[in-house]
Amino acid sequence: MRTLLLLTALIAAPALAQRSMPQPLPIMDEVPAARDRPFPGALTLHVDATDTVRGVFKVSETIPVPANLAGKRMALLFPKWLPGKHGPRGEIEKVAGLEISAGGKLLTWKRDPLDMYAFWVNVPAGTRALDVKFDFLSATDGPQGRIVVTQDMMNLQPNSVSLYPAGWFTRQIPVNLSVTWPAGWTAASAMREASRSGNRITYATIDYEAMVDSPFFAGRHFAKWDLGQNVTMNVVADDARFLAATPDQIDKHRNLVSQAVKLFGTRQFDHYDLLVSLTERMGGIGLEHHRSSENGVDTGYFTDWAKGPGRRNLLPHEFTHSWNGKHRRGADLVTPDFRTPMRNSMLWVYEGQTQFWGYVLQARSGLVTQDETIDQLATIAATLDNRPARGWRSLDDTTNDPVITPRAPKGWVSWQRSEDYYAEGMLIWLEADAIIRRESAGKRSMDDFARGFFGTGDGDWGVKPYDMASLVAALKAVQPYDWAGHLAQRLTEKASGAPLKGFEMAGWKLVYTDKPTAAFTDSNRRTLNLAFSGGLVIGTAGRVDQVIWATPAFDAGLAVGDVLLAVNEQPYSDDEMKAAITAAKNSQQPIRLTVKTSDRVQAMAFAWNGGLRYPKLERVAPADAANPTGLERLLTARK
């Protein structure tokens, strides 16, 4: 009977449908690959940059149609992968009002289904050129992106205001650019003026790759200085009073140029323009180009010079990039156009050694004193030495950060790591200098490497790529050593502390004291940096800006975005917090914090009894003017 009931139930039950498992459609990249051949014709590009109220750039462009594409589909590209930003950072979302026409007839365009930066258009037979119009809607509020236009200055980047034809190396596409600037403004760029009519300036014909590499700073309040060696410093400011540079300040910038040329032995440019903005309104920037650089600093760059170094390291860093990063760059960073992905495996050289030479040149030029530079290096070393993420993530992997997270805020940077190839890369090259000095008995240094590796021919602003093998060979040519093994270890090791042996070999050691150096105070003008005093950094109005992983601050439950309301039942202030930390030194009692989190106000116990601690580099041996340390020799100006 049971068997009969079971058979009846099985017969009556409906059959269950099988899970559907379709095959995916193949991915077909139809955008033509770039080829190294001359483009037949020149792009004509005009930008109306006069709308300083809304920050809208109006673009008009004529793109010749190659004969073989008339009557067919043609792809136009907006630059995506941007050199210097090391990732896909083109702001395609700000392109609006795009119209493409031919012979006065509006054509229908369609975005590529795979590449959102590519636009397809069916070109009518017999068409000789496409006329393109669009607006680039620059950010008007911080969350939209970097502010590039104010009513007193702007930063016009050609990659944001142009399209280019797919299928050609961008260095093979000529461009004739003209810009209409606001009345009364002055503009500066590595591009040179060919003619002008009123406020409209036409620039000398240039290839598309070089045009993208030649941004503009323009403004109502403008000054420029000749720094020698065919280098000009062009400065725009929020107000004319901020342009009051002293002769001594300008001389130090001239020293930067002369010391760089002495270091590398050549100028890898035909001319060079330092573009500098003194502003609290336009967004900050530090971006390298071969014959120019974009440098955004505070308004008090000149007028508050005596208060400390501020951002004076920025110009030496970006200027160095003309040699390291632009002229010499990792082979996997050389791309034919702005669509091809960049691979960043050598950024620890591109940025790390540039960071190294930036600090060296700031000291050699006098922009920052030698003592201030050494104190700045102490903070960098201590920050990396207190970064527990080094135990799971090696330095070489951080070169992927520009693509993984293009400088987006991180909640736990000490446990995630960031673009550490800058600062830790610098420590690698400090160590390399110390190794060369030790192995050569003081006869050679990283200066010898710089001249041989970066200075390849005066005036050559082309690109000479390298890989790990050629880098190691160049180091061996300066000083025989197991550079391949040494660099492999530094790039791949997962260690608890930073690579500080370079300081030790150069006669210094990292220590902590209860008094901050002037350089530490200067670099933390707007924060209370307790990273080494319990593990947190506090910004304005008690807001927690950073918590170091696995520290007393972390154990207390603090996180980025929390707000400190009270310390030991006293209303929060930076001075109250420092006083509480000092009073708790060697105590068994935690500091009592009242904290506003995202959804609570609660008490937290901050169990730190180590007092206030600030990093400092200390000589291993007493100071001896007749016998300077290796680090002091490195930072001394060349004659």
Side-chain angles (χ1 to χ4, degrees):
M1 184 66 180
R2 288 181 180 177
T3 302
L4 179 60
L5 291 173
L6 179 60
L7 289 171
T8 302
L10 289 172
I11 293 170
L16 296 176
Q18 291 186 346
R19 178 186 173 191
S20 299
M21 291 185 285
Q23 292 298 308
L25 293 174
I27 296 293
M28 302 291 292
D29 184 1
E30 297 183 325
V31 177
R35 294 171 57 191
D36 196 5
R37 51 180 176 163
F39 180 74
L43 313 188
T44 301
L45 174 64
H46 178 67
V47 181
D48 183 337
T50 58
D51 187 351
T52 61
V53 175
R54 289 171 291 267
V56 175
F57 295 106
K58 303 193 79 64
V59 178
S60 302
E61 185 174 10
T62 299
I63 301 176
V65 173
N68 67 317
L69 290 179
K72 298 180 181 179
R73 288 202 312 164
M74 183 173 177
L76 305 180
L77 305 177
F78 185 82
K80 179 179 182 180
W81 288 80
L82 301 180
K85 295 187 178 181
H86 313 311
R89 301 279 294 279
E91 295 182 297
I92 188 69
E93 76 283 359
K94 293 181 171 62
V95 172
L98 176 62
E99 294 182 353
I100 303 175
S101 60
K105 181 181 178 182
L106 195 63
L107 305 179
T108 299
W109 58 264
K110 188 172 181 61
R111 201 183 299 262
D112 187 83
L114 298 179
D115 187 348
M116 300 299 106
Y117 289 70
F119 302 91
W120 286 101
V121 61
N122 289 315
V123 180
T127 299
R128 302 185 65 180
L130 297 176
D131 295 313
V132 178
K133 292 184 178 181
F134 67 88
D135 295 336
F136 183 81
L137 312 179
S138 73
T140 56
D141 188 39
Q144 300 170 17
R146 175 174 167 259
I147 304 294
V148 299
V149 179
T150 76
Q151 294 193 55
D152 293 301
M153 69 172 64
M154 71 175 63
N155 178 193
L156 174 58
Q157 297 175 320
N159 55 276
S160 294
V161 291
S162 59
L163 301 181
Y164 66 96
W168 282 265
F169 276 33
T170 50
R171 68 188 181 203
Q172 295 275 24
I173 304 173
V175 187
N176 295 310
L177 170 68
S178 61
V179 182
T180 300
W181 299 104
W185 285 34
T186 304
S189 168
M191 280 188 270
R192 293 301 185 244
E193 178 179 332
S195 64
R196 72 167 62 203
S197 176
N199 297 327
R200 179 168 175 157
I201 298 178
T202 299
Y203 295 90
T205 302
I206 193 170
D207 66 77
Y208 190 85
E209 181 180 84
M211 181 187 74
V212 168
D213 198 45
S214 304
F216 295 86
F217 274 12
R220 188 187 311 278
H221 311 294
F222 178 91
K224 71 176 183 178
W225 289 271
D226 181 357
L227 301 184
Q229 301 287 348
N230 226 9
V231 177
T232 305
M233 182 164 65
N234 309 272
V235 186
V236 293
D238 285 346
D239 191 90
R241 70 182 186 277
F242 299 121
L243 296 170
T246 67
D248 180 65
Q249 291 167 351
I250 300 305
D251 283 344
K252 286 178 168 57
H253 289 84
R254 290 193 177 101
N255 293 344
L256 167 62
V257 173
S258 62
Q259 286 293 317
V261 174
K262 287 176 183 179
L263 169 65
F264 297 113
T266 61
R267 298 167 298 177
Q268 300 303 157
F269 48 80
D270 52 351
H271 58 262
Y272 191 97
D273 287 83
L274 285 162
L275 308 176
V276 184
S277 62
L278 314 181
T279 181
E280 306 295 338
R281 302 169 190 159
M282 192 168 78
I285 190 171
L287 190 58
E288 68 273 11
H289 304 281
H290 207 136
R291 299 187 295 167
S292 65
S293 56
E294 299 165 273
N295 304 273
V297 298
D298 296 337
T299 51
Y301 183 81
F302 293 127
T303 55
D304 292 337
W305 191 275
K307 291 183 179 179
R311 297 206 69 199
R312 295 205 289 272
N313 175 256
L314 181 60
L315 272 67
H317 178 98
E318 302 302 345
F319 188 47
T320 296
H321 268 314
S322 183
W323 291 268
N324 180 19
K326 302 308 291 185
H327 179 56
R328 300 303 309 267
R329 71 183 74 165
D332 56 3
L333 267 178
V334 177
T335 56
D337 60 9
F338 300 108
R339 180 176 187 259
T340 305
M342 294 182 291
R343 292 159 291 175
N344 294 324
S345 68
M346 302 301 287
L347 285 185
W348 57 278
V349 184
Y350 181 123
E351 296 289 4
Q353 195 171 146
T354 295
Q355 194 83 335
F356 168 78
W357 289 122
Y359 278 94
V360 169
L361 288 172
Q362 73 172 28
R364 290 184 184 179
S365 66
L367 281 169
V368 181
T369 69
Q370 189 175 111
D371 288 343
E372 288 170 330
T373 299
I374 291 172
D375 286 340
Q376 289 175 334
L377 295 177
T379 300
I380 294 169
T383 299
L384 291 168
D385 204 39
N386 288 271
R387 185 155 285 183
R390 297 188 76 259
W392 74 267
R393 189 181 183 194
S394 56
L395 179 65
D396 60 346
D397 189 61
T398 70
T399 63
N400 296 305
D401 242 52
V403 179
I404 295 171
T405 172
R407 298 199 173 174
K410 292 187 176 184
W412 304 99
V413 68
S414 61
W415 189 231
Q416 295 167 279
R417 302 199 80 169
S418 184
E419 296 177 0
D420 289 0
Y421 52 84
Y422 278 88
E424 192 166 322
M426 179 186 69
L427 297 185
I428 288 176
W429 295 109
L430 273 165
E431 185 178 24
D433 183 74
I435 290 171
I436 294 171
R437 290 175 189 274
R438 182 192 66 193
E439 296 295 311
S440 69
K443 294 178 182 178
R444 291 179 292 280
S445 69
M446 278 293 293
D447 285 55
D448 298 280
F449 172 82
R451 280 190 294 275
F453 192 71
F454 296 115
T456 67
D458 202 51
D460 178 7
W461 55 285
V463 177
K464 292 197 172 181
Y466 61 86
D467 56 14
M468 179 64 90
S470 57
L471 178 75
V472 167
L475 285 165
K476 282 185 175 180
V478 173
Q479 180 58 52
Y481 189 72
D482 181 17
W483 292 109
H486 173 74
L487 293 175
Q489 178 185 347
R490 288 289 177 256
L491 290 171
T492 61
E493 65 186 350
K494 296 177 174 66
S496 58
L500 304 181
K501 287 186 178 180
F503 289 114
E504 296 167 12
M505 286 189 287
W508 298 78
K509 62 181 179 180
L510 179 65
V511 299
Y512 294 89
T513 70
D514 60 1
K515 295 284 190 299
T517 63
F520 185 91
T521 301
D522 176 70
S523 64
N524 291 280
R525 294 181 187 179
R526 299 172 184 175
T527 61
L528 175 60
N529 189 340
L530 301 173
F532 317 109
S533 308
L536 74 161
V537 178
I538 304 168
T540 57
R543 184 187 184 278
V544 176
D545 284 352
Q546 186 182 161
V547 176
I548 308 302
W549 193 265
T551 61
F554 176 87
D555 294 339
L558 289 167
V560 170
D562 290 348
V563 178
L564 304 184
L565 302 177
V567 183
N568 292 335
E569 288 76 51
Q570 297 297 313
Y572 177 82
S573 70
D574 289 354
D575 287 342
E576 194 69 42
M577 186 69 172
K578 288 190 288 186
I581 290 174
T582 300
K585 187 174 183 179
N586 300 322
S587 169
Q588 300 302 311
Q589 298 300 315
I591 297 168
R592 301 181 302 281
L593 301 178
T594 304
V595 182
K596 181 183 182 300
T597 67
S598 59
D599 59 356
R600 295 284 191 280
V601 174
Q602 63 189 78
M604 293 185 183
F606 179 37
W608 170 252
N609 59 11
L612 293 170
R613 296 172 75 244
Y614 302 100
K616 182 178 176 61
L617 283 173
E618 187 177 86
R619 287 181 179 83
V620 174
D624 181 357
N627 205 8
T629 65
L631 182 56
E632 289 167 318
R633 292 178 188 275
L634 174 66
L635 299 179
T636 298
R638 297 310 185 237
K639 303 245 189 236

